[in-house]
């Protein structure tokens, strides 16, 4: 039985769901629940949907607030874009990767360039290549959760390679928290990028939708409206409580509304603030999830910096994690002929960078670009704007998956599904879409099935296969 054939005529076959959070996770959950014949209301505290995938204006241009890219191997995300009528419009571009190390910029986009990479000896390169290849083939990620990432990389790549390459990259991404993180972090990162190269072309083919996520979100909102989903923006949640009849009250400044089911997609460290009925044990589970945040500068320039989509940085003292030159991927015509660069800095909750003003960040970041690129001048800057998000990525600490709170909370008919439940991947839109589908098939729809078991006259729920069939098939480029 297909998901669209589930009718609302039977009172028990359709429930009214509230989705808390209008990022890509909440939107995808709402989309799939509506496909399954459910009534859905989505709450978003901000004035617009999108969350970390939202767009904004920087100077004279509008583009994504944070950098996003689609890989050929991102089949879940591409299937969703197909449903929204956008995958056919995607543009695919071969990109290059740079490395800034020992004060110089190197290209690392091919095997010959890797073999010529001066900072490493040939034996170091062999061990580094072997580490990457071995990680790409490994499947038992659970065992890696018990091994500190520094120990694992030192063992397989060697101490010299670890000190010159891996350690600076770990510190740039994780800060000192890398000491508490497991090897699954680097395994998941390698696996995704290696899988992209295994997609058939052996090249770094990245894709984007013309118009960016502003266009994707516009189509998403229209699709949800067609399916009857109500979107309530500008409504932060004050409290979520369940009554003795199993109905769940969602309270905002606009009043309270009752639902049959509620799914919270907000970060674990925040959702405890409005769920007074959480047990002490589950509250502790959510509060112990540690998040990295990001300060991300969008910089509009008169001319390009280099020809690399991403430039990894191993030199200490550079105040950002990497240089993402978006217009090596996106046609500059979409950005008024200008160059768009992202300068991200991942930061733990106690990072001093949270105290920096926008002016301080601009001075530090632009100064670092001047040092990195001899042909760059401060006069090349047309616009500079900073985004701050404190709860972005849950840290994959040792034995992380064994400590996660369950998706089904102790509060009747209340669920918590957020990016912290990504246990064997990196945070990206494809993983978020897959998480939504997994939560739907393994937790949310089974909760309805259990409720229906007391009635023999109820319609059969759609199977997992029928719901997920569109997103498990390869999509041509």
């Amino acid at each position: 039985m297909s998901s669209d054939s589930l009718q609302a005529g039977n009172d028990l076959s359709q429930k009214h769901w509230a989705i808390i959070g209008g990022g890509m996770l909440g939107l995808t959950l709402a989309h799939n629940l509506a496909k399954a014949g459910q009534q859905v209301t989505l709450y978003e505290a901000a004035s617009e949907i999108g969350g970390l995938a939202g767009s904004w204006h920087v100077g004279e241009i509008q583009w994504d607030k944070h950098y996003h890219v689609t890989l050929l191997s991102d089949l879940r995300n591409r299937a969703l874009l197909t449903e929204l009528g956008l995958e056919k419009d995607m543009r695919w571009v071969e990109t290059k990767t740079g490395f800034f190390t020992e004060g110089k910029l190197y290209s690392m986009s091919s095997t010959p360039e890797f073999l010529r990479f001066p900072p490493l000896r040939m034996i170091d390169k062999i061990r580094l290549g072997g580490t990457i290849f071995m990680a790409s083939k490994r499947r038992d990620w659970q065992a890696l959760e018990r091994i500190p990432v520094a120990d694992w990389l030192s063992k397989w790549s060697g101490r010299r390679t670890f000190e010159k390459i891996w350690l600076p990259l770990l510190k740039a991404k994780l800060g000192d928290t890398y000491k508490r993180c497991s090897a699954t972090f680097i395994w998941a990162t390698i696996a995704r990028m290696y899988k992209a190269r295994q997609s058939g072309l052996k090249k770094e083919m990245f894709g984007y939708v013309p118009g960016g996520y502003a266009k994707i979100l516009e189509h998403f909102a229209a699709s949800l409206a067609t399916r009857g989903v109500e979107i309530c923006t500008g409504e932060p949640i004050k409290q979520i409580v369940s009554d003795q009849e199993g109905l769940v009250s969602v309270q905002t400044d606009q009043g309270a509304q009752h639902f049959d089911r509620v799914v919270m997609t907000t970060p674990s460290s925040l959702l405890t603030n409005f769920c007074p009925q959480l047990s002490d044990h589950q509250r502790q589970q959510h509060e112990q999830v540690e998040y990295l945040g990001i300060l991300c500068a969008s910089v509009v320039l008169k001319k390009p910096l280099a020809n690399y989509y991403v430039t990894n940085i191993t030199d200490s003292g550079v105040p950002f994690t990497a240089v993402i030159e978006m217009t090596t991927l996106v046609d500059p015509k979409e950005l008024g002929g200008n160059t768009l660069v992202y300068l991200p800095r991942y930061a733990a909750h106690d990072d001093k960078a949270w105290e920096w003003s926008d002016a301080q960040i601009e001075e530090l970041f632009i100064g670092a670009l001047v040092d990195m690129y001899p042909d760059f001048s401060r006069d090349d800057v047309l616009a500079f704007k900073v985004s701050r998000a404190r709860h972005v990525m849950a840290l994959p600490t040792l034995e992380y998956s064994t400590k996660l709170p369950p998706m089904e909370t102790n509060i009747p008919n209340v669920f918590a599904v957020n990016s912290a439940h990504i246990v064997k991947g990196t945070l990206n839109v494809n993983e978020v879409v897959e998480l939504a589908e997994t939560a739907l098939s393994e937790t949310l729809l089974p909760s309805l099935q259990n409720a229906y078991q007391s009635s023999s006259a109820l319609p059969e729920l759609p199977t997992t296969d029928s719901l997920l069939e569109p997103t498990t098939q390869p999509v041509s480029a």
Side-chain angles (χ1 to χ4, degrees), residues 197-217:
R197 283 180 170 262
Q198 293 295 95
S199 57
L201 296 177
K202 309 298 184 184
K203 300 176 181 178
E204 290 185 357
M205 295 293 291
F206 290 173
Y208 74 99
V209 173
Y213 267 82
K215 185 173 183 179
I216 294 174
L217 294 171

Side-chain angles (χ1 to χ4, degrees), residues 97 99 101 107-111 113-137 149 152-170 186-187 189-191 194 312 314:
T97 299
F99 248 82
T101 185
S107 181
M108 286 277 279
S109 304
S110 67
T111 299
E113 289 175 345
F114 173 69
L115 293 176
R116 291 194 300 266
F117 190 53
L120 296 180
R121 302 168 303 183
M122 183 55 66
I123 185 61
D124 301 326
K125 295 169 185 175
I126 292 173
R127 295 193 68 173
L128 176 59
T131 302
I132 294 172
F133 180 77
M134 182 268 295
S136 72
K137 299 301 182 183
V149 64
W152 190 78
L153 288 171
S154 296
K155 174 183 177 181
W156 291 103
S157 292
R159 174 54 58 178
R160 176 181 166 85
T161 303
F162 176 76
E163 295 288 347
K164 294 189 72 67
I165 298 296
W166 289 121
L167 181 57
L169 292 178
L170 288 174
I186 203 68
W187 169 81
T189 302
I190 291 171
Y194 198 87
N312 296 297
T314 62

